[in-house]
Amino acid sequence: MAYYSVLDVTPTSEDWIPDYLPAANERVAAHGGRYIARTTNHEQLEGDAQHAALRIIIEWPSKEAVQAFMTDEAYVPHLTSRTAGSVSHHYLIEGKDDLA
């Protein structure tokens, strides 16, 4: 079953970005992930304002793939840099409809 990472990221520093992007691209692909959206062009349609500079959606083949990505030794230093240099929220959503 597919899983989706939904992130909002607002950099507080840009020092981490040049090293982060190629490493994240490589490690996402290595774990079977696929970027669906990475954009600064987004708008909130409902609820209290939740500002973010960037919204990201990644499709994963399984929950195990996401977990392997998040603990990948080649990715962890970049994750640490991103979380230190940004305000980030990462949600993992199972690709199913519980209300159907």
Side-chain angles (χ1 to χ4, degrees):
M1 172 172 295
Y3 277 78
Y4 297 89
S5 286
V6 178
L7 298 95
D8 55 73
V9 178
T10 301
T12 55
S13 163
E14 295 190 4
D15 298 343
W16 58 273
I17 296 172
D19 290 334
Y20 180 87
L21 291 175
N25 292 344
E26 178 184 298
R27 301 322 305 153
V28 164
H31 291 283
R34 178 177 71 93
Y35 286 101
I36 294 175
R38 286 189 287 182
T39 184
T40 59
N41 185 16
H42 51 83
E43 61 183 284
Q44 185 173 338
L45 300 178
E46 292 186 53
D48 295 334
Q50 301 293 318
H51 300 288
L54 181 66
R55 305 275 183 189
I56 302 160
I57 302 172
I58 306 169
E59 181 179 51
W60 300 97
S62 66
K63 187 174 185 177
E64 293 77 20
V66 179
Q67 293 167 330
F69 166 72
M70 294 297 292
T71 59
D72 184 320
E73 291 180 5
Y75 176 65
V76 168
H78 300 285
L79 172 60
T80 301
S81 295
R82 177 177 60 78
T83 56
S86 70
V87 175
S88 299
H89 301 95
H90 184 171
Y91 307 92
L92 183 60
I93 301 170
E94 188 175 10
K96 68 177 188 172
D97 185 350
D98 288 334
L99 303 178

Coordinates of all heavy atoms in Angstrom, one line a residue:
M1 N 0.8 -1.2 0.0 CA 0.0 0.0 0.0 C 0.9 1.2 0.0 O 1.9 1.3 0.7 CB -0.9 0.0 1.2 CG -1.7 1.3 1.4 SD -2.9 1.3 2.7 CE -4.0 0.0 2.0
A2 N 0.5 2.2 -0.8 CA 1.3 3.5 -0.9 C 1.1 4.3 0.4 O 0.1 4.2 1.1 CB 0.8 4.3 -2.1
Y3 N 2.2 5.0 0.7 CA 2.2 6.0 1.8 C 2.6 7.3 1.2 O 3.4 7.3 0.2 CB 3.1 5.6 2.9 CG 2.5 4.6 3.9 CD1 2.3 3.3 3.6 CD2 2.0 5.0 5.1 CE1 1.7 2.4 4.4 CE2 1.4 4.1 6.0 CZ 1.3 2.8 5.7 OH 0.7 2.0 6.5
Y4 N 2.2 8.4 1.9 CA 2.6 9.7 1.4 C 3.2 10.5 2.5 O 2.6 10.6 3.6 CB 1.3 10.5 0.8 CG 0.8 9.7 -0.3 CD1 -0.2 8.7 -0.2 CD2 1.2 10.0 -1.6 CE1 -0.7 8.0 -1.3 CE2 0.7 9.3 -2.7 CZ -0.2 8.3 -2.5 OH -0.7 7.6 -3.6
S5 N 4.3 11.1 2.3 CA 4.9 12.1 3.2 C 4.4 13.5 2.7 O 4.5 13.8 1.5 CB 6.5 12.1 3.1 OG 7.0 11.0 3.7
V6 N 3.9 14.2 3.6 CA 3.5 15.6 3.4 C 4.2 16.5 4.3 O 4.2 16.3 5.5 CB 1.9 15.7 3.6 CG1 1.5 17.2 3.4 CG2 1.2 14.8 2.7
L7 N 5.0 17.4 3.8 CA 5.9 18.2 4.6 C 5.6 19.7 4.3 O 5.3 20.1 3.2 CB 7.4 18.0 4.3 CG 7.9 16.6 4.5 CD1 7.9 15.7 3.3 CD2 9.3 16.7 5.1
D8 N 5.8 20.5 5.4 CA 5.9 21.9 5.2 C 7.2 22.3 5.8 O 7.6 21.9 6.9 CB 4.7 22.7 5.7 CG 4.4 22.4 7.2 OD1 5.2 23.0 8.0 OD2 3.4 21.8 7.5
V9 N 8.0 23.1 5.0 CA 9.3 23.5 5.4 C 9.5 25.0 5.2 O 9.2 25.5 4.1 CB 10.4 22.7 4.6 CG1 11.8 23.2 5.0 CG2 10.2 21.2 4.8
T10 N 10.0 25.7 6.3 CA 10.3 27.1 6.2 C 11.8 27.2 6.7 O 12.0 27.1 7.9 CB 9.4 28.0 7.0 OG1 8.0 27.8 6.5 CG2 9.8 29.4 6.9
P11 N 12.7 27.5 5.8 CA 14.1 27.6 6.2 C 14.3 28.8 7.2 O 13.7 29.9 7.0 CB 14.9 27.8 4.9 CG 14.0 27.2 3.9 CD 12.6 27.5 4.3
T12 N 15.1 28.6 8.2 CA 15.5 29.7 9.1 C 17.0 30.0 8.7 O 17.5 31.0 9.2 CB 15.4 29.3 10.6 OG1 16.1 28.0 10.8 CG2 13.9 29.0 10.9
S13 N 17.6 29.2 8.0 CA 18.9 29.3 7.5 C 19.0 28.6 6.1 O 18.3 27.6 5.9 CB 20.0 28.7 8.4 OG 21.2 28.5 7.8
E14 N 19.8 29.1 5.2 CA 19.9 28.4 3.9 C 21.2 27.7 3.8 O 21.4 27.1 2.7 CB 19.7 29.4 2.8 CG 18.3 30.0 2.8 CD 18.0 30.9 1.5 OE1 18.8 30.9 0.6 OE2 16.9 31.4 1.5
D15 N 22.0 27.6 4.8 CA 23.3 26.9 4.7 C 23.2 25.4 4.4 O 24.1 24.9 3.7 CB 24.0 27.1 6.1 CG 24.3 28.5 6.4 OD1 24.3 29.4 5.5 OD2 24.6 28.8 7.6
W16 N 22.1 24.8 4.8 CA 22.0 23.3 4.7 C 21.5 22.9 3.3 O 21.6 21.8 2.9 CB 21.0 22.8 5.7 CG 19.7 23.4 5.7 CD1 19.3 24.6 6.4 CD2 18.5 23.0 5.0 NE1 18.0 24.9 6.2 CE2 17.5 23.9 5.3 CE3 18.2 21.9 4.2 CZ2 16.2 23.8 4.8 CZ3 16.9 21.8 3.7 CH2 15.9 22.7 4.0
I17 N 20.8 23.9 2.6 CA 20.1 23.6 1.4 C 21.0 23.0 0.2 O 20.6 22.0 -0.4 CB 19.2 24.8 0.9 CG1 18.2 25.1 2.0 CG2 18.6 24.5 -0.5 CD1 17.4 26.4 1.7
P18 N 22.1 23.6 -0.1 CA 22.9 23.1 -1.2 C 23.3 21.6 -1.1 O 23.3 20.8 -2.0 CB 24.1 24.0 -1.3 CG 23.7 25.3 -0.7 CD 22.7 24.8 0.4
D19 N 23.7 21.2 0.1 CA 24.1 19.8 0.4 C 22.8 18.9 0.5 O 22.9 17.7 0.2 CB 24.9 19.7 1.6 CG 26.3 20.3 1.5 OD1 26.8 20.4 0.3 OD2 26.9 20.7 2.5
Y20 N 21.7 19.4 1.0 CA 20.6 18.6 1.3 C 19.9 18.1 0.0 O 19.5 17.0 -0.1 CB 19.6 19.5 2.1 CG 18.3 18.7 2.5 CD1 18.3 17.9 3.6 CD2 17.2 18.7 1.6 CE1 17.1 17.1 3.9 CE2 16.1 18.0 1.9 CZ 16.0 17.2 3.0 OH 14.9 16.4 3.3
L21 N 19.7 19.0 -0.9 CA 18.9 18.7 -2.1 C 19.4 17.5 -2.9 O 18.6 16.5 -3.1 CB 18.7 19.9 -3.0 CG 17.8 21.0 -2.4 CD1 17.8 22.2 -3.4 CD2 16.4 20.5 -2.2
P22 N 20.7 17.4 -3.3 CA 21.1 16.2 -4.0 C 21.1 15.0 -3.1 O 20.7 13.9 -3.6 CB 22.5 16.5 -4.4 CG 22.9 17.8 -3.8 CD 21.7 18.4 -3.2
A23 N 21.4 15.1 -1.9 CA 21.4 13.9 -1.0 C 19.9 13.4 -0.8 O 19.7 12.2 -0.9 CB 22.0 14.2 0.4
A24 N 19.0 14.3 -0.6 CA 17.6 13.9 -0.4 C 17.0 13.3 -1.7 O 16.4 12.2 -1.7 CB 16.7 15.1 0.0
N25 N 17.3 13.9 -2.8 CA 16.9 13.4 -4.1 C 17.4 11.9 -4.3 O 16.6 11.0 -4.7 CB 17.4 14.2 -5.3 CG 16.8 15.6 -5.3 OD1 15.8 15.9 -4.7 ND2 17.4 16.5 -6.1
E26 N 18.6 11.7 -4.0 CA 19.2 10.4 -4.2 C 18.6 9.3 -3.2 O 18.3 8.2 -3.6 CB 20.7 10.5 -4.0 CG 21.4 9.1 -4.1 CD 22.9 9.3 -3.8 OE1 23.6 10.0 -4.5 OE2 23.4 8.6 -2.8
R27 N 18.5 9.7 -2.0 CA 18.0 8.8 -1.0 C 16.5 8.5 -1.1 O 16.1 7.4 -0.9 CB 18.4 9.2 0.4 CG 19.9 9.5 0.7 CD 20.8 8.5 0.1 NE 20.5 7.1 0.5 CZ 20.9 6.1 -0.3 NH1 21.5 6.2 -1.4 NH2 20.6 4.8 0.1
V28 N 15.7 9.5 -1.5 CA 14.3 9.2 -1.7 C 14.2 8.2 -2.8 O 13.5 7.2 -2.7 CB 13.6 10.5 -2.1 CG1 12.2 10.3 -2.7 CG2 13.4 11.4 -0.9
A29 N 14.9 8.4 -4.0 CA 14.8 7.5 -5.1 C 15.3 6.1 -4.7 O 14.7 5.1 -5.1 CB 15.6 8.0 -6.3
A30 N 16.4 6.0 -3.9 CA 17.0 4.7 -3.5 C 16.0 3.9 -2.7 O 16.1 2.7 -2.7 CB 18.2 5.0 -2.7
H31 N 15.0 4.6 -2.0 CA 14.0 3.9 -1.2 C 12.7 3.8 -1.9 O 11.7 3.4 -1.2 CB 13.9 4.5 0.2 CG 15.2 4.4 1.0 ND1 15.5 3.2 1.7 CD2 16.2 5.2 1.3 CE1 16.6 3.3 2.3 NE2 17.1 4.5 2.0
G32 N 12.7 4.0 -3.2 CA 11.4 3.8 -3.9 C 10.5 5.0 -3.9 O 9.3 4.9 -4.3
G33 N 10.9 6.1 -3.3 CA 10.1 7.3 -3.2 C 10.0 8.1 -4.5 O 10.9 8.0 -5.3
R34 N 9.0 8.9 -4.6 CA 8.8 9.7 -5.8 C 8.2 11.0 -5.4 O 7.2 11.0 -4.8 CB 7.9 9.0 -6.8 CG 7.6 9.7 -8.1 CD 6.8 8.9 -9.0 NE 5.4 8.8 -8.6 CZ 4.4 9.6 -8.9 NH1 4.6 10.6 -9.7 NH2 3.2 9.4 -8.5
Y35 N 8.9 12.1 -5.8 CA 8.3 13.4 -5.5 C 7.1 13.7 -6.3 O 7.2 13.6 -7.6 CB 9.4 14.5 -5.7 CG 10.5 14.6 -4.6 CD1 11.7 14.0 -4.9 CD2 10.2 15.2 -3.4 CE1 12.7 14.1 -3.9 CE2 11.2 15.3 -2.5 CZ 12.4 14.7 -2.7 OH 13.4 14.7 -1.7
I36 N 6.0 14.0 -5.7 CA 4.8 14.4 -6.5 C 4.8 15.9 -6.6 O 4.4 16.4 -7.6 CB 3.6 13.8 -5.8 CG1 3.6 12.3 -5.8 CG2 2.3 14.4 -6.4 CD1 2.5 11.7 -5.1
A37 N 5.1 16.6 -5.5 CA 5.2 18.1 -5.5 C 6.2 18.6 -4.6 O 6.4 18.0 -3.5 CB 3.8 18.6 -5.1
R38 N 7.0 19.6 -5.0 CA 7.9 20.4 -4.2 C 7.8 21.8 -4.7 O 8.3 22.1 -5.8 CB 9.4 19.9 -4.4 CG 9.7 18.6 -3.7 CD 11.1 18.3 -3.8 NE 11.6 17.9 -5.1 CZ 12.8 17.5 -5.4 NH1 13.7 17.5 -4.5 NH2 13.1 17.2 -6.6
T39 N 7.0 22.6 -4.0 CA 6.7 23.9 -4.6 C 6.6 25.0 -3.5 O 6.1 24.7 -2.4 CB 5.5 23.8 -5.4 OG1 5.2 25.1 -6.0 CG2 4.2 23.4 -4.6
T40 N 6.9 26.2 -3.9 CA 6.6 27.4 -3.1 C 5.2 28.0 -3.5 O 4.8 28.9 -2.9 CB 7.7 28.4 -3.3 OG1 7.8 28.8 -4.7 CG2 9.0 27.9 -2.8
N41 N 4.7 27.4 -4.6 CA 3.4 27.9 -5.1 C 2.2 27.1 -4.5 O 1.9 26.0 -5.0 CB 3.4 27.8 -6.6 CG 2.1 28.4 -7.2 OD1 1.4 29.1 -6.5 ND2 1.8 28.1 -8.4
H42 N 1.7 27.5 -3.4 CA 0.6 26.8 -2.7 C -0.2 27.8 -1.9 O 0.2 29.0 -1.7 CB 1.2 25.8 -1.7 CG 2.2 26.3 -0.7 ND1 1.9 27.0 0.4 CD2 3.6 26.3 -0.8 CE1 3.0 27.4 1.0 NE2 4.0 27.0 0.3
E43 N -1.5 27.5 -1.7 CA -2.3 28.3 -0.9 C -3.2 27.5 0.0 O -3.6 26.4 -0.3 CB -3.2 29.2 -1.9 CG -4.2 28.4 -2.7 CD -5.0 29.2 -3.7 OE1 -5.9 29.9 -3.2 OE2 -4.6 29.3 -4.9
Q44 N -3.5 28.1 1.1 CA -4.3 27.4 2.1 C -5.8 27.8 1.9 O -6.1 29.0 1.8 CB -3.9 27.8 3.5 CG -4.6 27.1 4.6 CD -4.1 27.4 6.0 OE1 -2.9 27.8 6.1 NE2 -4.9 27.2 7.0
L45 N -6.6 26.8 1.8 CA -8.0 27.1 1.5 C -8.9 27.1 2.7 O -10.1 27.6 2.7 CB -8.6 26.0 0.5 CG -7.8 26.0 -0.8 CD1 -8.4 24.9 -1.7 CD2 -7.9 27.4 -1.5
E46 N -8.5 26.5 3.8 CA -9.3 26.4 5.0 C -8.5 26.5 6.3 O -7.3 26.2 6.2 CB -10.1 25.0 5.1 CG -11.1 24.8 4.0 CD -11.9 23.5 4.3 OE1 -12.4 23.4 5.4 OE2 -11.9 22.7 3.4
G47 N -9.1 26.9 7.4 CA -8.5 26.9 8.7 C -7.6 28.0 9.0 O -7.4 28.9 8.2
D48 N -7.1 28.0 10.2 CA -6.2 29.1 10.7 C -4.9 29.0 9.8 O -4.4 27.9 9.4 CB -5.8 28.9 12.1 CG -7.0 29.1 13.0 OD1 -7.9 29.8 12.7 OD2 -7.0 28.5 14.2
A49 N -4.3 30.2 9.6 CA -3.1 30.2 8.7 C -2.0 29.4 9.2 O -1.6 29.4 10.4 CB -2.7 31.7 8.6
Q50 N -1.5 28.5 8.3 CA -0.3 27.7 8.6 C 0.7 28.0 7.6 O 0.8 27.4 6.5 CB -0.7 26.2 8.5 CG -1.8 25.8 9.5 CD -1.3 25.8 10.9 OE1 -0.2 25.4 11.2 NE2 -2.2 26.3 11.8
H51 N 1.5 29.0 7.8 CA 2.5 29.5 6.9 C 3.7 28.5 6.7 O 4.1 27.9 7.6 CB 3.0 30.9 7.3 CG 2.0 31.9 7.4 ND1 1.4 32.4 6.3 CD2 1.4 32.4 8.5 CE1 0.4 33.3 6.7 NE2 0.4 33.3 8.1
A52 N 4.1 28.4 5.5 CA 5.2 27.6 5.1 C 5.8 28.1 3.8 O 5.1 28.4 2.9 CB 4.9 26.1 5.0
A53 N 7.1 28.1 3.7 CA 7.8 28.5 2.5 C 7.6 27.5 1.4 O 7.5 27.8 0.2 CB 9.2 28.8 2.7
L54 N 7.6 26.2 1.8 CA 7.6 25.1 0.8 C 6.7 24.0 1.3 O 6.7 23.7 2.4 CB 9.1 24.6 0.7 CG 9.4 23.5 -0.3 CD1 9.2 23.9 -1.7 CD2 10.9 23.0 0.0
R55 N 6.0 23.4 0.3 CA 5.2 22.2 0.6 C 5.7 21.1 -0.3 O 6.0 21.3 -1.5 CB 3.7 22.5 0.3 CG 3.1 23.7 1.0 CD 2.6 23.3 2.4 NE 2.0 24.5 2.9 CZ 1.6 24.7 4.1 NH1 1.7 23.7 5.0 NH2 1.0 25.8 4.5
I56 N 5.8 19.9 0.3 CA 6.4 18.8 -0.4 C 5.4 17.6 -0.2 O 5.0 17.3 0.9 CB 7.8 18.5 0.2 CG1 8.7 19.7 0.1 CG2 8.4 17.2 -0.5 CD1 9.8 19.6 1.0
I57 N 5.2 16.8 -1.3 CA 4.5 15.5 -1.2 C 5.4 14.5 -1.9 O 5.8 14.7 -3.0 CB 3.2 15.6 -1.9 CG1 2.3 16.7 -1.3 CG2 2.4 14.2 -1.8 CD1 1.0 17.0 -2.0
I58 N 5.6 13.4 -1.1 CA 6.4 12.3 -1.6 C 5.6 11.0 -1.5 O 5.0 10.7 -0.5 CB 7.7 12.1 -0.8 CG1 8.5 13.3 -0.8 CG2 8.5 10.9 -1.4 CD1 9.7 13.3 0.2
E59 N 5.5 10.3 -2.6 CA 4.8 9.0 -2.6 C 5.8 7.9 -2.4 O 6.9 7.8 -3.0 CB 4.1 8.7 -4.0 CG 3.4 7.4 -4.0 CD 2.7 7.2 -5.4 OE1 3.4 7.4 -6.4 OE2 1.5 6.9 -5.4
W60 N 5.5 6.9 -1.5 CA 6.3 5.8 -1.1 C 5.6 4.5 -1.4 O 4.4 4.4 -1.2 CB 6.7 5.9 0.4 CG 7.4 7.1 0.9 CD1 6.8 8.2 1.4 CD2 8.7 7.4 0.8 NE1 7.7 9.1 1.7 CE2 9.0 8.7 1.3 CE3 9.8 6.7 0.3 CZ2 10.2 9.2 1.4 CZ3 11.1 7.2 0.4 CH2 11.3 8.5 0.9
P61 N 6.4 3.4 -1.7 CA 5.7 2.2 -2.0 C 5.2 1.5 -0.7 O 4.3 0.6 -0.8 CB 6.8 1.3 -2.6 CG 8.1 1.9 -2.2 CD 7.8 3.4 -2.0
S62 N 5.7 1.8 0.5 CA 5.3 1.2 1.7 C 5.7 2.0 2.9 O 6.6 2.9 2.8 CB 5.9 -0.2 1.8 OG 7.3 -0.1 1.9
K63 N 5.2 1.7 4.0 CA 5.6 2.4 5.3 C 7.1 2.0 5.6 O 7.9 2.8 6.1 CB 4.7 2.0 6.4 CG 5.0 2.7 7.7 CD 3.9 2.4 8.8 CE 4.1 3.3 10.0 NZ 3.1 3.0 11.0
E64 N 7.4 0.8 5.3 CA 8.8 0.3 5.6 C 9.8 1.1 4.7 O 10.9 1.4 5.2 CB 8.9 -1.2 5.3 CG 8.2 -2.1 6.2 CD 6.7 -2.1 5.9 OE1 6.2 -1.8 4.8 OE2 5.9 -2.5 6.9
A65 N 9.4 1.5 3.5 CA 10.3 2.3 2.7 C 10.6 3.7 3.3 O 11.7 4.2 3.3 CB 9.7 2.5 1.3
V66 N 9.5 4.3 3.9 CA 9.7 5.6 4.5 C 10.6 5.5 5.8 O 11.5 6.3 6.0 CB 8.3 6.1 5.0 CG1 8.5 7.5 5.7 CG2 7.3 6.2 3.8
Q67 N 10.3 4.4 6.5 CA 11.1 4.2 7.7 C 12.6 4.0 7.4 O 13.5 4.5 8.1 CB 10.5 3.1 8.6 CG 9.2 3.4 9.1 CD 8.4 2.2 9.7 OE1 8.6 1.1 9.2 NE2 7.6 2.4 10.7
A68 N 12.8 3.2 6.3 CA 14.2 3.0 5.9 C 14.9 4.3 5.4 O 16.1 4.5 5.7 CB 14.3 1.9 4.8
F69 N 14.1 5.1 4.7 CA 14.7 6.4 4.3 C 15.0 7.3 5.5 O 16.1 7.9 5.6 CB 13.6 7.1 3.4 CG 13.9 8.6 3.2 CD1 14.9 9.0 2.4 CD2 13.1 9.6 3.8 CE1 15.2 10.3 2.1 CE2 13.4 10.9 3.6 CZ 14.4 11.3 2.8
M70 N 14.1 7.4 6.4 CA 14.3 8.3 7.6 C 15.5 7.8 8.5 O 16.1 8.7 9.2 CB 13.1 8.4 8.4 CG 11.9 9.0 7.8 SD 12.2 10.8 7.3 CE 12.2 11.5 9.0
T71 N 15.9 6.6 8.4 CA 17.0 6.1 9.2 C 18.2 5.7 8.4 O 19.2 5.2 8.9 CB 16.6 4.8 10.0 OG1 16.1 3.8 9.1 CG2 15.4 5.1 11.0
D72 N 18.2 6.0 7.1 CA 19.3 5.8 6.2 C 20.5 6.6 6.7 O 20.5 7.8 6.8 CB 18.9 6.2 4.8 CG 19.9 5.9 3.7 OD1 21.1 6.1 4.0 OD2 19.5 5.6 2.6
E73 N 21.6 5.9 6.9 CA 22.8 6.5 7.4 C 23.3 7.6 6.5 O 24.0 8.6 7.0 CB 23.9 5.5 7.6 CG 23.7 4.5 8.8 CD 24.8 3.5 9.0 OE1 25.8 3.6 8.3 OE2 24.6 2.6 9.8
A74 N 23.1 7.5 5.2 CA 23.5 8.5 4.3 C 22.6 9.8 4.3 O 23.0 10.8 3.8 CB 23.6 8.0 2.8
Y75 N 21.4 9.6 4.8 CA 20.4 10.7 4.9 C 20.4 11.4 6.2 O 20.2 12.6 6.3 CB 19.0 10.2 4.5 CG 18.0 11.3 4.6 CD1 18.0 12.4 3.8 CD2 17.0 11.2 5.6 CE1 17.0 13.4 4.0 CE2 16.0 12.2 5.7 CZ 16.0 13.3 4.9 OH 15.1 14.3 5.1
V76 N 20.6 10.7 7.3 CA 20.4 11.2 8.7 C 21.2 12.5 8.9 O 20.6 13.5 9.5 CB 20.7 10.2 9.7 CG1 20.8 10.8 11.1 CG2 19.6 9.1 9.7
P77 N 22.4 12.7 8.5 CA 23.1 14.0 8.7 C 22.4 15.1 8.0 O 22.4 16.2 8.5 CB 24.5 13.8 8.1 CG 24.7 12.3 8.0 CD 23.3 11.7 7.9
H78 N 21.8 14.9 6.8 CA 21.1 15.9 6.1 C 19.8 16.2 6.8 O 19.4 17.4 6.8 CB 20.9 15.5 4.6 CG 22.2 15.2 4.0 ND1 23.1 16.3 3.6 CD2 22.9 14.1 3.7 CE1 24.2 15.8 3.0 NE2 24.1 14.4 3.1
L79 N 19.1 15.2 7.3 CA 17.9 15.4 8.0 C 18.2 16.3 9.2 O 17.4 17.2 9.5 CB 17.3 14.1 8.4 CG 16.1 14.1 9.4 CD1 14.9 14.9 8.8 CD2 15.7 12.7 9.8
T80 N 19.2 16.0 9.9 CA 19.6 16.8 11.1 C 19.9 18.2 10.7 O 19.4 19.1 11.4 CB 20.9 16.2 11.8 OG1 20.6 14.8 12.1 CG2 21.3 16.9 13.0
S81 N 20.6 18.4 9.6 CA 20.8 19.8 9.1 C 19.5 20.5 8.8 O 19.3 21.7 9.1 CB 21.7 19.8 7.9 OG 23.0 19.3 8.3
R82 N 18.6 19.8 8.1 CA 17.3 20.4 7.7 C 16.5 20.8 8.9 O 16.0 21.9 9.0 CB 16.5 19.5 6.8 CG 15.1 20.2 6.5 CD 14.3 19.4 5.5 NE 14.0 18.0 5.9 CZ 13.0 17.7 6.8 NH1 12.3 18.7 7.4 NH2 12.7 16.5 7.1
T83 N 16.4 19.9 9.9 CA 15.6 20.2 11.1 C 16.2 21.3 11.9 O 15.5 22.1 12.5 CB 15.3 19.0 11.9 OG1 16.5 18.4 12.3 CG2 14.5 18.0 11.1
A84 N 17.6 21.4 11.9 CA 18.2 22.5 12.6 C 18.1 23.9 11.9 O 18.0 24.9 12.6 CB 19.7 22.2 12.9
G85 N 18.0 23.8 10.6 CA 18.0 25.0 9.8 C 16.6 25.4 9.2 O 16.5 26.2 8.2
S86 N 15.5 24.9 9.8 CA 14.2 25.2 9.3 C 13.2 24.9 10.4 O 13.4 24.2 11.4 CB 13.9 24.3 8.1 OG 13.7 23.0 8.4
V87 N 12.0 25.4 10.1 CA 10.8 24.9 10.9 C 10.1 24.0 9.9 O 9.7 24.3 8.8 CB 9.9 26.1 11.2 CG1 8.6 25.6 11.9 CG2 10.6 27.1 12.1
S88 N 10.0 22.7 10.3 CA 9.5 21.7 9.4 C 8.5 20.8 10.1 O 8.6 20.5 11.4 CB 10.7 20.8 8.9 OG 11.6 21.5 8.2
H89 N 7.5 20.3 9.4 CA 6.6 19.4 9.9 C 6.4 18.3 8.8 O 6.3 18.6 7.6 CB 5.2 20.0 10.1 CG 5.3 21.1 11.1 ND1 5.4 22.4 10.7 CD2 5.3 21.1 12.5 CE1 5.5 23.2 11.8 NE2 5.4 22.4 12.9
H90 N 6.5 17.0 9.2 CA 6.4 15.9 8.3 C 5.3 15.0 8.8 O 5.3 14.5 9.9 CB 7.8 15.2 8.4 CG 7.9 14.1 7.4 ND1 9.1 13.4 7.1 CD2 7.0 13.4 6.6 CE1 8.9 12.5 6.2 NE2 7.6 12.5 5.9
Y91 N 4.3 14.8 7.9 CA 3.2 13.9 8.2 C 3.3 12.7 7.3 O 3.6 12.8 6.1 CB 1.9 14.6 7.9 CG 1.8 16.0 8.7 CD1 2.2 17.1 8.0 CD2 1.3 16.0 9.9 CE1 2.1 18.3 8.7 CE2 1.2 17.2 10.6 CZ 1.6 18.4 10.0 OH 1.5 19.6 10.7
L92 N 3.0 11.5 7.8 CA 3.0 10.3 7.0 C 1.5 9.9 6.9 O 0.9 9.7 7.9 CB 3.8 9.2 7.7 CG 3.9 7.9 6.8 CD1 4.5 8.2 5.5 CD2 4.7 6.9 7.6
I93 N 1.0 9.7 5.7 CA -0.4 9.4 5.5 C -0.5 8.1 4.7 O 0.1 8.0 3.6 CB -1.0 10.6 4.7 CG1 -0.9 11.9 5.5 CG2 -2.5 10.2 4.3 CD1 -1.3 13.1 4.7
E94 N -1.2 7.2 5.2 CA -1.5 5.9 4.6 C -2.4 6.2 3.4 O -3.4 6.9 3.5 CB -2.1 5.0 5.5 CG -2.2 3.6 5.0 CD -2.7 2.6 6.0 OE1 -3.2 3.0 7.1 OE2 -2.7 1.4 5.7
G95 N -2.1 5.6 2.2 CA -2.9 5.8 1.0 C -4.1 5.0 1.0 O -4.2 4.1 0.1
K96 N -5.1 5.3 1.9 CA -6.3 4.5 1.9 C -7.4 5.5 2.3 O -7.2 6.6 2.8 CB -6.3 3.3 2.8 CG -6.2 3.6 4.2 CD -6.2 2.4 5.1 CE -6.3 2.7 6.5 NZ -6.6 1.5 7.3
D97 N -8.7 5.1 2.0 CA -9.8 5.9 2.4 C -10.6 5.2 3.5 O -11.3 4.2 3.2 CB -10.7 6.1 1.2 CG -11.9 7.0 1.4 OD1 -12.2 7.4 2.6 OD2 -12.5 7.4 0.4
D98 N -10.4 5.6 4.7 CA -11.1 5.0 5.9 C -12.6 5.3 5.9 O -13.3 4.7 6.7 CB -10.5 5.5 7.2 CG -9.1 4.9 7.4 OD1 -8.8 3.8 6.9 OD2 -8.3 5.5 8.2
L99 N -13.0 6.3 5.1 CA -14.4 6.7 5.1 C -15.2 6.2 3.9 O -16.4 6.5 3.8 CB -14.5 8.2 5.2 CG -13.8 8.9 6.3 CD1 -13.9 10.4 6.2 CD2 -14.2 8.4 7.7
A100 N -14.6 5.3 3.1 CA -15.3 4.8 1.9 C -16.3 3.7 2.3 O -16.1 3.0 3.3 CB -14.3 4.3 0.9

